[in-house]
Every structure is written in C-alpha cells, then in structure tokens.
Amino acid sequence: MIDHRKFLLLVVNVACLVAAGVIIGCASVNVKMERLTRDAIAASEDMRCTLHPTPCLSDAQFKAVNIELYNVAVVGGELTKLSRAGSVAPNDYVRLVQAVEKAINALATQSFPAGTIGKILGTLQELDAKARQLSGGT
Amino acid sequence: MPLLDAATIMAWVQLLTIAEKIGQDVVFLLKDHAQNTMTDETWATLEAAWAEDAARAKRNAGIGDPTGTP
C-alpha cells in the first residue's frame, strides 16, 4: 500500500530538484560554455608530459591542441560580446559549432597516445552540443 | 536505519544530475530570458573569462611567441 505522506514528500523533493536544476541552468547558459573551454585547456595542461606520467601529450601535441582551443575561446568571446549587445542570432553560434568541430576533428585525426585526450574531447563534445542547441540545430 | 546510506546518497546525486539536465533543457528553450537575466557585471566577468581562456591557450600554443615558451 502506498504511504501517501512519503509519496507527497517524494513529489515535493523532485519538484524542488527540478527547480534547482532550472536555476543552475539559468545561471550557466552562457557561463557554462566558457567553463567547458576552460576545462578543456586545463585538461590539456594536466596531460602534458612535463607534469604527467605516460601516456601524456608531447610539447608539439600540447601546442596543437591549444591552437584549436585558442580558436574556440576567441569565437566564444566574440559571441559573448554580440550576445551582451543583444545582437546575437542563432546563426552566429554556427561559427562556434564550426570552431569546436574543427578542434574535435583535429584531435581525432592526430595520433595522440591512448587515454590522453578523453577529457579534452569530452568537454569539447559537450560544448559542441550546447552550441548546436543555441544555433537552432540539433 | 541510518538517515543517509550510500544508496540514498547515490540516488540523490542521480536525481540532482537529472534535474540539472532538465534545467539546462528548459534554459535552452528560454534562452532569451536567460540572457536578459545576465547583469552587466556578469557579462563583463564572462567576457574577461573568455579573454583569459584565449590568452592562456595562446600562451600554451606558443602563438606569437618565437621561443614557443608556454
């Protein structure tokens, strides 16, 4: 038999959690994309051979990854300025999608040691998904 | 019975994760509203953070630095 009090408490709890999720999401719609880029940069630094035991990113690979992340950060910054001015259109986010895709492709085509780029790739894929949603794509 | 056992904590973490995802989906549907809730100060902080990210990645990549020193 269902305990109605417990059921009601569960419903209230879930409602509160969803509300908390909405608040967290609202606060982070623009901020989160920047944090993902920052996470990707930090992940590349963590995997650098000078700091990390093998497998790790050589100096050349580290630089190659960061060139792509630099491009992503520049486009992200430009979009933020447009967004702040209220003149950003969904199509503008296509540029971010393209920059992130280029970074993902660059990571995918180079022969990095296994296990070195998982976190970098993961954050970029999440960023890609968010940029696509903002661009009106899928 | 303990107030919070491991299974309960895990269930809460999962619920929070799901709720956060739902929250994000709602945000994307209401993105104009989300942008309107950003204050000038928040925007300025965000712009500075992007600039910091770009500078850090640029430094790491050795762009514009002939020695390539990160």
Side-chain angles (χ1 to χ4, degrees), chain A residues 83-121:
Chain A
S83 197
R84 185 183 188 183
S87 57
V88 67
N91 271 346
D92 292 324
Y93 284 97
V94 172
R95 287 177 54 216
L96 185 60
V97 171
Q98 287 168 344
V100 175
E101 268 185 356
K102 191 168 169 284
I104 290 172
N105 289 338
L107 294 183
T109 52
Q110 293 197 35
S111 54
F112 291 103
T116 52
I117 58 168
K119 194 176 174 191
I120 306 169
L121 204 52

Side-chain angles (χ1 to χ4, degrees), chain A residues 17 32 34 45 80 130, chain B residues 19-20 24 50 53 56 60:
Chain A
L17 284 170
K32 194 146 193 164
E34 182 274 324
E45 289 168 345
T80 298
K130 288 180 193 310
Chain B
E20 208 261 345
Q24 284 185 23
W50 275 115
D53 287 351
R56 187 166 153 202
N60 286 344

Side-chain angles (χ1 to χ4, degrees), chain A:
Chain A
M1 178 162 173
I2 297 172
D3 181 332
H4 289 283
R5 279 198 311 174
K6 279 189 179 172
F7 181 71
L8 187 62
L9 191 64
L10 180 68
V11 170
V12 171
N13 277 342
V14 172
C16 287
L17 284 170
V18 172
V22 171
I23 291 166
I24 292 167
C26 275
S28 65
V29 65
N30 288 281
V31 176
K32 194 146 193 164
M33 293 203 293
E34 182 274 324
R35 286 189 184 152
L36 285 168
T37 308
R38 179 169 298 193
D39 284 350
I41 295 169
S44 76
E45 289 168 345
D46 285 346
M47 293 307 295
R48 211 176 170 190
C49 288
T50 46
L51 300 171
H52 198 280
T54 55
C56 59
L57 297 178
S58 68
D59 272 1
Q61 289 169 331
F62 175 69
K63 286 179 183 177
V65 168
N66 274 277
I67 285 171
E68 300 300 336
L69 294 176
Y70 166 68
N71 291 330
V72 171
V74 168
V75 175
E78 286 170 3
L79 285 174
T80 298
K81 280 179 187 160
L82 284 175
S83 197
R84 185 183 188 183
S87 57
V88 67
N91 271 346
D92 292 324
Y93 284 97
V94 172
R95 287 177 54 216
L96 185 60
V97 171
Q98 287 168 344
V100 175
E101 268 185 356
K102 191 168 169 284
I104 290 172
N105 289 338
L107 294 183
T109 52
Q110 293 197 35
S111 54
F112 291 103
T116 52
I117 58 168
K119 194 176 174 191
I120 306 169
L121 204 52
T123 55
L124 284 175
Q125 283 166 341
E126 203 177 328
L127 182 62
D128 184 50
K130 288 180 193 310
R132 277 174 191 276
Q133 279 180 286
L134 286 170
S135 71
T138 53

Side-chain angles (χ1 to χ4, degrees), chain B residues 17-37:
Chain B
T17 308
I18 293 166
E20 208 261 345
K21 297 284 180 201
I22 293 171
Q24 284 185 23
D25 288 344
V26 171
V27 163
F28 280 114
L29 290 173
L30 302 171
K31 57 180 184 284
D32 290 336
H33 169 73
Q35 286 175 355
N36 289 337
T37 59

